[in-house]
Amino acid sequence: NYNPAHTLLVSYPGSGERLAWRIIEALTGSVVGDDWNLSNEGYHVSTLKTSYPHNEGTWSWGDSFYDANIIFLVRSPRWAIPSYFDIKSELAFSNGIEDSKNRVDFTYTARPAIWKWNKWAIADRGENFREQLEKWGWMIDFYMNNGRRAIYADGSSIIDAHCRPENEIIHSCIPKAIISYERLGSTDKLIGEAETMKLANAMIEGRENEVPMAERGDWGCGYDKVIDRRKKEPRWDGTTRRGQDENRRRYRSSSLEEINAEIIRLITTYSDASKGWDVDPLANDLVSILAEYRAEIDAKLCAMAPA
Protein backbone atom coordinates (compact mmCIF):
# COMPACT_ATOMS: atom_id res chain seq x y z
CA ASN A 1 0.00 0.00 0.00
CA TYR A 2 3.08 2.24 -0.16
CA ASN A 3 2.14 5.28 -2.24
CA PRO A 4 4.77 8.05 -2.11
CA ALA A 5 4.41 11.45 -3.73
CA HIS A 6 5.46 11.41 -7.36
CA THR A 7 8.01 13.17 -9.57
CA LEU A 8 8.09 13.41 -13.36
CA LEU A 9 11.52 13.93 -14.90
CA VAL A 10 10.93 15.37 -18.37
CA SER A 11 13.38 16.33 -21.08
CA TYR A 12 14.12 16.38 -24.76
CA PRO A 13 15.60 12.92 -25.56
CA GLY A 14 19.39 12.95 -25.36
CA SER A 15 19.49 15.56 -22.60
CA GLY A 16 21.20 13.44 -19.98
CA GLU A 17 18.20 11.79 -18.34
CA ARG A 18 20.32 8.81 -17.37
CA LEU A 19 22.65 10.91 -15.20
CA ALA A 20 19.68 12.69 -13.64
CA TRP A 21 17.79 9.53 -12.78
CA ARG A 22 20.90 7.92 -11.31
CA ILE A 23 21.25 10.93 -9.01
CA ILE A 24 17.55 10.70 -8.13
CA GLU A 25 17.94 7.00 -7.33
CA ALA A 26 20.94 7.82 -5.11
CA LEU A 27 18.95 10.51 -3.29
CA THR A 28 15.75 8.50 -2.83
CA GLY A 29 16.89 4.89 -2.64
CA SER A 30 14.08 4.11 -5.10
CA VAL A 31 14.21 2.99 -8.73
CA VAL A 32 13.17 5.35 -11.53
CA GLY A 33 10.75 4.10 -14.19
CA ASP A 34 10.24 5.31 -17.74
CA ASP A 35 7.32 6.11 -19.98
CA TRP A 36 7.82 3.11 -22.32
CA ASN A 37 8.73 0.81 -19.42
CA LEU A 38 11.97 -0.16 -21.14
CA SER A 39 13.43 -0.43 -17.64
CA ASN A 40 10.80 -3.02 -16.68
CA GLU A 41 10.23 -1.15 -13.42
CA GLY A 42 6.54 -0.58 -14.21
CA TYR A 43 4.62 2.54 -13.29
CA HIS A 44 4.22 1.99 -9.54
CA VAL A 45 7.33 4.06 -8.87
CA SER A 46 7.86 7.41 -7.19
CA THR A 47 9.76 8.92 -10.15
CA LEU A 48 9.17 8.42 -13.86
CA LYS A 49 11.20 9.84 -16.73
CA THR A 50 9.61 10.84 -20.02
CA SER A 51 10.24 12.80 -23.21
CA TYR A 52 6.54 13.58 -23.71
CA PRO A 53 5.30 15.40 -25.80
CA HIS A 54 8.23 14.61 -28.12
CA ASN A 55 7.33 11.71 -30.42
CA GLU A 56 9.91 9.61 -28.57
CA GLY A 57 7.82 9.96 -25.41
CA THR A 58 4.38 8.74 -24.41
CA TRP A 59 1.93 9.61 -21.61
CA SER A 60 1.54 6.02 -20.47
CA TRP A 61 0.76 6.43 -16.76
CA GLY A 62 -2.74 7.90 -17.05
CA ASP A 63 -3.67 9.96 -14.00
CA SER A 64 -1.55 7.98 -11.52
CA PHE A 65 0.93 10.89 -11.29
CA TYR A 66 -1.73 13.53 -10.66
CA ASP A 67 0.23 14.85 -7.68
CA ALA A 68 3.60 14.87 -9.44
CA ASN A 69 6.14 17.65 -9.22
CA ILE A 70 7.65 18.09 -12.68
CA ILE A 71 11.41 18.54 -13.09
CA PHE A 72 12.51 19.75 -16.53
CA LEU A 73 16.04 18.71 -17.50
CA VAL A 74 17.56 20.86 -20.23
CA ARG A 75 20.76 20.44 -22.23
CA SER A 76 22.24 22.62 -24.94
CA PRO A 77 20.85 21.51 -28.32
CA ARG A 78 24.40 21.56 -29.66
CA TRP A 79 24.98 18.39 -27.62
CA ALA A 80 21.46 17.08 -26.98
CA ILE A 81 20.63 16.55 -30.65
CA PRO A 82 23.77 14.46 -31.38
CA SER A 83 23.11 12.48 -28.19
CA TYR A 84 19.57 11.82 -29.39
CA PHE A 85 21.08 10.59 -32.67
CA ASP A 86 23.35 8.25 -30.70
CA ILE A 87 20.35 6.66 -28.99
CA LYS A 88 18.46 6.35 -32.28
CA SER A 89 21.50 4.65 -33.81
CA GLU A 90 21.92 2.26 -30.89
CA LEU A 91 18.26 1.29 -31.29
CA ALA A 92 18.88 0.84 -35.04
CA PHE A 93 16.25 3.53 -35.75
CA SER A 94 13.58 1.13 -34.46
CA ASN A 95 10.06 1.38 -35.84
CA GLY A 96 8.23 0.51 -32.63
CA ILE A 97 8.40 -0.31 -28.96
CA GLU A 98 9.08 -4.02 -29.49
CA ASP A 99 12.07 -3.27 -31.70
CA SER A 100 13.35 -0.86 -29.07
CA LYS A 101 12.95 -3.42 -26.27
CA ASN A 102 14.94 -5.92 -28.30
CA ARG A 103 17.85 -3.49 -28.55
CA VAL A 104 17.66 -1.74 -25.19
CA ASP A 105 20.89 -3.43 -24.05
CA PHE A 106 22.73 -1.62 -26.87
CA THR A 107 21.90 1.82 -25.49
CA TYR A 108 24.75 3.85 -23.99
CA THR A 109 27.33 1.50 -25.48
CA ALA A 110 28.79 3.04 -28.65
CA ARG A 111 28.65 6.22 -30.69
CA PRO A 112 28.13 5.78 -34.43
CA ALA A 113 30.84 6.82 -36.84
CA ILE A 114 31.18 10.57 -37.34
CA TRP A 115 30.24 10.26 -41.03
CA LYS A 116 26.86 8.78 -40.03
CA TRP A 117 26.11 11.81 -37.86
CA ASN A 118 27.20 14.14 -40.64
CA LYS A 119 25.01 12.34 -43.16
CA TRP A 120 21.97 12.43 -40.86
CA ALA A 121 22.45 16.03 -39.75
CA ILE A 122 22.77 17.47 -43.26
CA ALA A 123 20.32 15.14 -45.06
CA ASP A 124 17.63 17.00 -47.02
CA ARG A 125 19.48 20.25 -46.43
CA GLY A 126 19.54 19.74 -42.69
CA GLU A 127 15.88 18.91 -42.18
CA ASN A 128 16.59 16.21 -39.57
CA PHE A 129 18.67 18.63 -37.52
CA ARG A 130 16.21 21.49 -38.02
CA GLU A 131 13.23 19.35 -37.02
CA GLN A 132 14.92 18.31 -33.78
CA LEU A 133 16.03 21.85 -32.97
CA GLU A 134 12.42 22.98 -33.35
CA LYS A 135 11.22 20.16 -31.07
CA TRP A 136 13.89 21.02 -28.49
CA GLY A 137 12.55 24.58 -28.24
CA TRP A 138 8.92 23.47 -28.49
CA MET A 139 9.29 21.23 -25.44
CA ILE A 140 10.52 24.19 -23.40
CA ASP A 141 7.53 26.25 -24.56
CA PHE A 142 5.19 23.33 -23.78
CA TYR A 143 6.17 23.04 -20.14
CA MET A 144 6.78 26.73 -19.45
CA ASN A 145 3.22 27.40 -20.62
CA ASN A 146 1.49 24.60 -18.73
CA GLY A 147 1.08 22.20 -21.65
CA ARG A 148 0.68 24.62 -24.55
CA ARG A 149 0.97 22.74 -27.83
CA ALA A 150 0.42 25.64 -30.23
CA ILE A 151 -0.95 29.13 -30.58
CA TYR A 152 -3.83 30.04 -32.90
CA ALA A 153 -3.59 33.03 -35.20
CA ASP A 154 -5.82 35.00 -32.79
CA GLY A 155 -3.38 34.40 -29.95
CA SER A 156 -5.36 31.73 -28.12
CA SER A 157 -3.61 28.51 -27.13
CA ILE A 158 -4.06 24.81 -27.77
CA ILE A 159 -3.50 23.09 -24.42
CA ASP A 160 -2.58 19.42 -24.26
CA ALA A 161 -5.49 17.30 -23.01
CA HIS A 162 -3.35 15.82 -20.22
CA CYS A 163 -2.64 19.28 -18.84
CA ARG A 164 -6.19 20.69 -18.83
CA PRO A 165 -7.40 21.11 -15.23
CA GLU A 166 -10.89 19.85 -16.02
CA ASN A 167 -9.49 16.46 -17.09
CA GLU A 168 -7.87 15.91 -13.66
CA ILE A 169 -4.90 13.99 -15.07
CA ILE A 170 -2.16 16.09 -13.47
CA HIS A 171 -2.46 19.10 -11.18
CA SER A 172 -0.04 21.19 -13.27
CA CYS A 173 2.31 20.78 -16.23
CA ILE A 174 4.52 23.66 -15.09
CA PRO A 175 7.89 22.45 -13.76
CA LYS A 176 8.98 23.03 -10.20
CA ALA A 177 12.52 23.52 -11.47
CA ILE A 178 14.64 23.71 -14.62
CA ILE A 179 17.75 21.59 -14.16
CA SER A 180 20.83 22.14 -16.31
CA TYR A 181 22.49 18.93 -17.45
CA GLU A 182 25.75 20.83 -17.90
CA ARG A 183 25.67 22.06 -14.31
CA LEU A 184 24.54 18.70 -12.95
CA GLY A 185 27.45 16.91 -14.59
CA SER A 186 29.98 19.71 -14.16
CA THR A 187 33.60 18.88 -13.41
CA ASP A 188 33.32 21.58 -10.73
CA LYS A 189 32.00 19.69 -7.72
CA LEU A 190 30.44 22.79 -6.15
CA ILE A 191 28.38 23.50 -9.29
CA GLY A 192 27.23 19.88 -9.57
CA GLU A 193 26.26 19.67 -5.91
CA ALA A 194 24.37 22.97 -6.10
CA GLU A 195 22.31 21.71 -9.05
CA THR A 196 21.67 18.46 -7.18
CA MET A 197 20.37 20.47 -4.22
CA LYS A 198 18.06 22.35 -6.56
CA LEU A 199 16.81 19.06 -8.02
CA ALA A 200 16.16 17.52 -4.60
CA ASN A 201 14.43 20.62 -3.25
CA ALA A 202 12.12 20.72 -6.27
CA MET A 203 11.20 17.06 -5.75
CA ILE A 204 10.14 17.62 -2.13
CA GLU A 205 8.61 21.08 -2.58
CA GLY A 206 5.25 21.16 -0.84
CA ARG A 207 5.47 17.54 0.34
CA GLU A 208 8.74 17.07 2.21
CA ASN A 209 7.45 14.21 4.36
CA GLU A 210 5.83 12.38 1.43
CA VAL A 211 8.81 11.90 -0.88
CA PRO A 212 11.41 9.20 -0.15
CA MET A 213 14.56 11.26 0.24
CA ALA A 214 17.89 11.04 2.02
CA GLU A 215 18.65 13.48 4.80
CA ARG A 216 19.75 16.87 3.46
CA GLY A 217 23.20 16.38 4.88
CA ASP A 218 23.63 13.27 2.71
CA TRP A 219 22.62 14.82 -0.65
CA GLY A 220 26.17 15.80 -1.52
CA CYS A 221 27.40 12.32 -0.69
CA GLY A 222 24.79 10.76 -2.98
CA TYR A 223 25.87 13.07 -5.79
CA ASP A 224 29.55 12.28 -5.22
CA LYS A 225 28.96 8.54 -5.46
CA VAL A 226 27.13 8.88 -8.78
CA ILE A 227 29.80 11.12 -10.32
CA ASP A 228 32.57 8.84 -9.06
CA ARG A 229 31.08 5.95 -11.02
CA ARG A 230 30.89 7.89 -14.30
CA LYS A 231 33.27 6.63 -16.99
CA LYS A 232 34.00 3.59 -14.82
CA GLU A 233 30.96 1.38 -15.26
CA PRO A 234 29.53 0.28 -18.65
CA ARG A 235 26.29 1.99 -19.67
CA TRP A 236 26.41 4.28 -16.63
CA ASP A 237 25.45 7.22 -18.85
CA GLY A 238 26.46 8.75 -22.18
CA THR A 239 30.03 9.38 -21.03
CA THR A 240 30.78 5.64 -21.09
CA ARG A 241 30.03 5.16 -24.79
CA ARG A 242 32.80 3.74 -26.96
CA GLY A 243 33.70 5.37 -30.24
CA GLN A 244 34.98 8.66 -31.55
CA ASP A 245 34.99 11.64 -29.23
CA GLU A 246 31.73 13.57 -29.57
CA ASN A 247 33.75 16.79 -29.74
CA ARG A 248 34.86 15.71 -33.22
CA ARG A 249 31.35 16.12 -34.56
CA ARG A 250 31.06 19.12 -36.78
CA TYR A 251 28.28 21.64 -37.22
CA ARG A 252 28.19 24.01 -40.14
CA SER A 253 28.34 27.63 -39.05
CA SER A 254 24.83 28.05 -40.49
CA SER A 255 23.55 25.29 -38.17
CA LEU A 256 25.20 26.90 -35.16
CA GLU A 257 23.57 30.18 -36.14
CA GLU A 258 20.20 28.41 -36.24
CA ILE A 259 20.83 27.02 -32.76
CA ASN A 260 21.75 30.49 -31.57
CA ALA A 261 18.62 31.98 -33.12
CA GLU A 262 16.41 29.47 -31.27
CA ILE A 263 18.21 30.13 -28.00
CA ILE A 264 17.83 33.89 -28.49
CA ARG A 265 14.12 33.42 -29.26
CA LEU A 266 13.64 31.59 -25.99
CA ILE A 267 15.69 34.13 -24.01
CA THR A 268 13.66 36.97 -25.50
CA THR A 269 10.37 35.18 -24.85
CA TYR A 270 11.08 34.33 -21.22
CA SER A 271 12.54 37.74 -20.40
CA ASP A 272 9.45 39.61 -21.67
CA ALA A 273 8.36 42.04 -18.96
CA SER A 274 5.01 42.65 -20.67
CA LYS A 275 4.12 38.98 -20.00
CA GLY A 276 5.52 38.98 -16.47
CA TRP A 277 8.33 36.58 -17.31
CA ASP A 278 10.99 38.97 -16.00
CA VAL A 279 9.77 38.40 -12.42
CA ASP A 280 9.07 34.67 -12.79
CA PRO A 281 11.77 32.69 -10.88
CA LEU A 282 11.45 29.66 -13.19
CA ALA A 283 11.85 31.85 -16.28
CA ASN A 284 14.80 33.66 -14.70
CA ASP A 285 16.55 30.35 -14.09
CA LEU A 286 15.82 29.16 -17.63
CA VAL A 287 17.19 32.38 -19.13
CA SER A 288 20.33 32.06 -17.02
CA ILE A 289 20.94 28.54 -18.36
CA LEU A 290 20.16 29.56 -21.95
CA ALA A 291 22.60 32.46 -21.67
CA GLU A 292 25.36 29.94 -20.92
CA TYR A 293 24.41 28.01 -24.06
CA ARG A 294 24.42 31.18 -26.12
CA ALA A 295 27.87 32.13 -24.85
CA GLU A 296 29.24 28.72 -25.85
CA ILE A 297 27.75 28.95 -29.35
CA ASP A 298 29.00 32.51 -29.77
CA ALA A 299 32.51 31.40 -28.81
CA LYS A 300 32.39 28.52 -31.30
CA LEU A 301 31.17 30.78 -34.11
CA CYS A 302 33.92 33.25 -33.32
CA ALA A 303 36.52 30.47 -33.49
CA MET A 304 35.13 29.35 -36.87
CA ALA A 305 35.16 32.84 -38.38
CA PRO A 306 37.90 33.51 -40.94
CA ALA A 307 40.85 35.52 -39.60
Side-chain angles (χ1 to χ4, degrees):
N1 295 321
Y2 178 59
N3 188 32
H6 296 98
T7 300
L8 278 176
L9 174 66
V10 302
S11 65
Y12 171 87
S15 295
E17 304 98 321
R18 202 171 184 89
L19 172 62
W21 69 249
R22 288 199 185 278
I23 290 174
I24 289 172
E25 288 185 340
L27 294 173
T28 64
S30 302
V31 297
V32 174
D34 66 277
D35 50 3
W36 292 105
N37 196 29
L38 293 173
S39 61
N40 291 317
E41 299 295 350
Y43 301 112
H44 191 63
V45 292
S46 58
T47 301
L48 196 72
K49 69 181 184 74
T50 181
S51 291
Y52 186 87
H54 192 284
N55 57 282
E56 301 293 352
T58 180
W59 194 293
S60 53
W61 55 91
D63 62 359
S64 62
F65 273 59
Y66 177 82
D67 67 322
N69 280 2
I70 291 177
I71 311 296
F72 191 96
L73 178 68
V74 65
R75 184 182 189 184
S76 170
R78 181 186 175 192
W79 305 109
I81 295 173
S83 181
Y84 167 62
F85 175 74
D86 288 345
I87 297 170
K88 292 289 286 181
S89 297
E90 289 165 333
L91 294 175
F93 292 86
S94 66
N95 292 315
I97 185 60
E98 291 307 316
D99 286 347
S100 294
K101 285 184 175 180
N102 289 336
R103 291 191 57 85
V104 70
D105 289 341
F106 289 91
T107 56
Y108 300 96
T109 58
R111 295 186 187 93
I114 297 295
W115 69 265
K116 292 184 178 180
W117 154 255
N118 292 336
K119 181 179 179 181
W120 181 86
I122 65 174
D124 298 321
R125 298 185 178 180
E127 284 307 307
N128 288 329
F129 156 76
R130 198 166 292 113
E131 177 187 8
Q132 292 308 315
L133 177 60
E134 181 179 331
K135 288 181 177 180
W136 177 85
W138 174 65
M139 283 193 67
I140 292 174
D141 288 331
F142 179 95
Y143 284 102
M144 290 297 292
N145 293 277
N146 204 13
R148 189 188 72 194
R149 280 191 163 270
I151 303 176
Y152 287 113
D154 64 3
S156 59
S157 300
I158 303 172
I159 303 299
D160 189 273
H162 300 96
C163 301
R164 295 174 192 163
E166 65 270 22
N167 292 339
E168 299 185 344
I169 294 173
I170 191 168
H171 71 98
S172 174
C173 281
I174 298 175
K176 291 293 184 182
I178 306 289
I179 300 296
S180 161
Y181 167 77
E182 288 80 6
R183 295 176 183 175
L184 197 63
S186 173
T187 54
D188 185 324
K189 179 180 177 180
L190 293 179
I191 293 175
E193 286 189 350
E195 204 69 1
T196 297
M197 302 294 178
K198 185 170 73 170
L199 168 63
N201 279 317
M203 290 179 66
I204 65 175
E205 183 179 327
R207 68 265 179 87
E208 186 162 353
N209 297 323
E210 302 171 39
V211 178
M213 182 67 69
E215 295 294 327
R216 287 180 180 271
D218 295 329
W219 290 358
C221 180
Y223 166 81
D224 290 344
K225 288 181 178 179
V226 171
I227 296 302
D228 184 60
R229 294 171 72 177
R230 294 184 89 187
K231 298 186 178 181
K232 294 181 180 179
E233 297 189 22
R235 303 185 66 225
W236 187 249
D237 70 354
T239 60
T240 60
R241 283 188 171 106
R242 303 184 308 273
Q244 294 172 302
D245 188 339
E246 62 183 349
N247 288 302
R248 293 185 60 192
R249 288 176 171 148
R250 297 289 184 264
Y251 276 110
R252 293 174 173 176
S253 59
S254 58
S255 296
L256 289 174
E257 287 167 355
E258 288 183 65
I259 291 175
N260 227 5
E262 180 62 4
I263 291 171
I264 291 169
R265 178 191 73 80
L266 291 166
I267 290 174
T268 302
T269 297
Y270 298 107
S271 303
D272 189 348
S274 69
K275 302 291 179 60
W277 288 117
D278 61 321
V279 293
D280 184 301
L282 190 70
N284 293 166
D285 201 19
L286 172 63
V287 168
S288 171
I289 294 168
L290 293 173
E292 293 173 4
Y293 297 165
R294 182 183 179 186
E296 181 200 23
I297 300 297
D298 282 342
K300 183 64 177 177
L301 283 169
C302 183
M304 294 173 67

